[in-house]
């Protein structure tokens, strides 16, 4: 994206009434009247573009400092909170109360070791002009934050976490390589909506106090500069929309606008729904771009503001770094186009490529997302298979997303406890209704179903049975040479996994653990790891490394900080946290810059 082609709940919702033939003047009157001009020469002290989590946090910080803010988004009010609302609510903490409760010994030094091993920063870390110069500094600051005030800050806002800490991205290499050495994935009690809620409340209170005004259905098409400094934004007013959260909204233009402020904060998200842009920036190291992908974010996550901000002088770095999941399911009840849901797997399912060849370590469930992605694309196909049992999916399968975890999202303790004695209802619904599941009593029936589902006829029964039998023989002893079986036993030694995320070890072909289940896994687009390069204040930098006066960015559009705080890989639980931290940094810095 150095020179990308420009692509063209627990919340209160007030969906605007969809009507045809709305005049531009009426739309302008509806919104502008709610917020008088701060001065004759400007409409506000700051404009925030994007009402997702980073935008809400930045707006809350600006309003807390007494600044008058316009919060713009092309989507209707129903989508306030953006992608964060749909998330599982996982947050990365270091040496937390929850970790200590689980007997996990974590430290800042261990977390920094893991971050560096995962990130692999290699693009000018010591060079102020390097793509990784500010990314590295943001990573240092973020690990300090996650080891320090992050938990107490959020706890003070009323956020709570499920006590069993998850162990994501386990790596599978050496101690100083990729992966979390210990569990660090803290699921928010209330999932994504509960992360959004305190900041939405702050912003709505600021609206009531006259400090913030929403501008729903305002699509920014350009950032205005005067004398080399940012002085506002311009764009199109879209017709009011009654589209429900996540549903595509119309792009019918009913007017235009130009708004003025000395500061613009871009918090518009990534490119995950723009498959053309994903493929355009796909790196050779991940193999051939998939011909077929499903989408993990709503359609409005289109990447438009990256090119728009670049046109205003911002520098885009690390465009080839991205984070897409390998365990995607086609949603049988889609909300947005090509809607996919990710399985968050435990360690026990066997993983095969499309031809029925078992993957080697670290291509194991929950270990190394991007290495597995490369292995899948290297197979020549866009999908792979889990072969598993009912006993495994009952305990080990979780689905990413607030709507797929009603017990956690709705804070329903009884429903949560029911996971102990039954397969979670969302999992059963996908098994029964999803197009990617094959269920059978015997292995021959399972293979026949797999070949029928894809129409490729690639799975050979005898060869698949040979590989499953070989794995099953390794279960007979408490020691083994099979790295996946080692990993299962390792997981069972961690109380959080043994209690909630790892099935008792058993043979795949044990009939008492059945029925047998095969799951076709699709590649699921999700996160942009690169983006607008920013300094630690969130100021967008130009090609020379100098700040663009008046221009800030936060969240995914800025690579969650610095244009790529994760480097090449994420440790998970760091996307929401990156929005929180970078939004706070940019909001506070923009407030200081506009102090009088």
């Amino acid at each position: 994206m150095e020179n990308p082609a420009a692509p063209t709940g627990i919340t209160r919702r007030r969906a605007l009434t969809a009507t045809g033939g709305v005049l531009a003047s009426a739309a302008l009157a509806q919104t502008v009247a709610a917020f008088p001009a701060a001065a004759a020469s400007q409409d506000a002290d700051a404009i925030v573009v994007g009402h997702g989590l980073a935008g809400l946090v930045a707006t809350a910080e600006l309003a807390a400092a007494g600044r008058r803010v316009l919060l713009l988004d092309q989507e209707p009010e129903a989508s306030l909170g953006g992608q964060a609302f749909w998330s599982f609510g996982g947050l990365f903490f270091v040496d937390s109360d929850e970790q200590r409760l689980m007997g996990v010994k974590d430290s800042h030094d261990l977390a920094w070791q893991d971050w560096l091993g995962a990130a692999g920063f290699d693009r000018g870390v010591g060079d102020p002009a390097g793509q990784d110069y500010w990314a590295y500094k943001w990573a240092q600051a973020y690990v300090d934050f996650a080891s320090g005030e992050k938990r107490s800050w959020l706890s003070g806002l009323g956020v709570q976490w499920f006590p069993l800490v998850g162990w994501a991205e386990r790596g599978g290499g050496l101690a100083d390589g990729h992966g979390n050495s210990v569990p660090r994935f803290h699921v928010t009690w209330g999932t994504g909506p509960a992360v959004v809620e305190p900041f939405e409340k702050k912003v709505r209170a600021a609206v009531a106090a006259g400090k913030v005004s929403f501008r729903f259905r305002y699509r920014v098409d350009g950032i205005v500069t005067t004398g080399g400094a940012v002085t506002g934004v311009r764009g199109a007013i879209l017709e009011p929309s009654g589209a429900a959260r996540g549903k595509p909204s119309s792009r019918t233009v009913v007017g235009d606008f130009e708004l003025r402020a000395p500061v613009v904060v871009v918090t518009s998200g990534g490119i995950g729904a723009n498959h053309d842009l994903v493929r355009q920036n796909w790196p050779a190291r991940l193999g051939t771009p998939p011909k077929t992908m499903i989408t993990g974010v709503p359609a409005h996550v289109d990447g438009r503001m990256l090119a728009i901000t670049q046109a205003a002088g911002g520098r885009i770095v690390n465009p080839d770094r991205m984070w897409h999941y390998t365990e995607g399911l086609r949603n049988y009840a889609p909300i947005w186009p090509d809607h996919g849901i990710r399985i968050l797997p435990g360690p026990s399912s066997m993983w095969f490529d499309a031809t029925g060849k078992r993957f080697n370590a670290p291509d194991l469930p929950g270990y190394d997302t991007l290495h597995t992605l490369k292995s899948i694309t290297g197979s020549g196909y866009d999908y792979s298979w889990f072969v598993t049992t009912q006993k495994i999916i009952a305990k080990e399968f979780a689905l990413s997303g607030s709507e797929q975890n009603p017990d956690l999202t709705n804070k329903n303790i009884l429903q949560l406890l029911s996971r102990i004695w039954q397969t979670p209802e969302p999992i059963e619904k996908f098994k029964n209704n999803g197009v990617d599941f094959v269920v059978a009593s015997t292995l021959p029936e399972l293979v026949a179903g797999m070949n029928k589902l894809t129409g490729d006829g690639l799975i050979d029964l005898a060869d698949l049975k040979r590989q499953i039998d070989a794995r099953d023989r390794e279960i007979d002893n408490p020691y083994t040479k099979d790295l996946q079986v080692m990993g299962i036993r390792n997981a069972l030694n961690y109380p959080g996994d043994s209690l909630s995320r790892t099935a008792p070890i058993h043979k795949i072909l044990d009939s008492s653990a059945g029925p047998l289940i095969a799951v076709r896994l699709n590649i699921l687009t999700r996160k942009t790891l690169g983006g607008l390069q920013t300094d630690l204040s969130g100021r967008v930098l130009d090609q020379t490394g100098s700040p663009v006066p008046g221009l800030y960015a936060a969240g995914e559009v800025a690579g969650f900080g610095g244009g790529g705080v994760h480097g090449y890989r994420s440790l998970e639980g760091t996307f929401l946290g990156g929005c929180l931290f970078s939004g706070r940094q940019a909001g506070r810095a923009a407030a200081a810059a506009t102090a009088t």
Side-chain angles (χ1 to χ4, degrees), residues 1 5 7-8 270-283 288-304 322-325 330 336-340 382 522-528:
M1 253 177 278
T8 117
I271 68 173
N274 189 333
H275 289 194
D276 289 339
L277 200 54
V278 168
R279 292 189 181 96
Q280 177 182 319
N281 292 286
W282 191 274
T288 303
K291 294 180 180 178
T292 302
M293 297 182 286
I294 56 178
T295 309
V297 293
H300 63 258
V301 185
D302 55 16
R304 291 182 69 254
M322 50 187 70
W323 191 253
H324 305 305
Y325 290 115
R330 297 177 187 277
W336 52 79
D338 299 316
H339 188 175
D382 296 341
N522 308 276
I523 294 171
L524 176 73
T525 63
R526 186 62 66 86
K527 295 298 181 186
T528 311

Side-chain angles (χ1 to χ4, degrees), residues 336-392:
W336 52 79
D338 299 316
H339 188 175
I341 296 294
R342 183 202 176 196
I343 297 172
L344 284 75
S348 301
S349 297
M350 295 186 71
W351 206 338
F352 299 88
D353 72 12
T355 69
K357 179 182 178 182
R358 188 183 179 193
F359 287 123
N360 297 317
D363 302 332
L364 306 173
Y367 277 72
D368 191 330
T369 294
L370 289 194
H371 193 282
T372 309
L373 177 59
K374 180 181 178 181
S375 296
I376 292 170
T377 58
S379 74
Y381 296 89
D382 296 341
Y383 68 93
S384 60
W385 291 100
F386 275 168
V387 173
T388 189
T389 67
Q390 180 70 33
K391 189 173 184 178
I392 290 172

Side-chain angles (χ1 to χ4, degrees), residues 167-192:
W167 196 353
E169 284 296 299
R170 305 180 190 210
L174 301 177
D176 59 354
H178 170 57
N180 285 293
S181 296
V182 297
R184 297 192 178 104
F185 191 80
H186 297 67
V187 177
T188 302
W189 186 232
T191 66

Side-chain angles (χ1 to χ4, degrees), residues 389-391 441-442 472 506-516:
T389 67
Q390 180 70 33
K391 189 173 184 178
S441 299
T442 67
D472 280 358
H506 62 276
K507 296 182 177 183
I508 297 293
L509 297 182
D510 179 353
S511 60
S512 67
L516 290 167

Side-chain angles (χ1 to χ4, degrees), residues 15-80:
L16 297 173
T17 303
T19 57
V22 181
L23 298 176
S25 57
L28 280 167
Q30 179 185 23
T31 53
V32 173
F35 191 83
S41 61
Q42 63 187 48
D43 298 293
D45 297 315
I47 294 170
V48 177
V49 182
H51 66 201
L53 180 59
L56 289 173
V57 174
T59 300
E61 292 291 339
L62 282 157
R67 306 297 175 266
R68 300 175 67 112
V69 187
L70 295 172
L71 179 55
L72 281 59
D73 201 284
Q74 65 182 350
E75 294 307 302
E77 185 172 4
S79 289
L80 189 66

Side-chain angles (χ1 to χ4, degrees), residues 9-16 76-82 85-86 193 200 204 214 216 242-247 335 402-403 409-410:
I10 302 179
T11 58
R12 290 169 285 174
R13 308 178 186 179
R14 287 188 295 119
L16 297 173
E77 185 172 4
S79 289
L80 189 66
F85 181 91
W86 297 104
E200 180 183 347
R204 289 195 182 275
F214 290 125
F216 303 114
R245 181 185 292 277
K247 289 284 188 180
I335 296 171
S402 54
E403 82 282 14
T409 300
N410 298 325

Side-chain angles (χ1 to χ4, degrees), residues 53 84 87 89-91 154 159 188 190-199 576 580:
L53 180 59
S87 75
L91 290 169
L154 291 172
V159 184
T188 302
T191 66
V195 179
V196 172
E197 183 180 19
F199 301 100
L576 289 178
L580 293 167

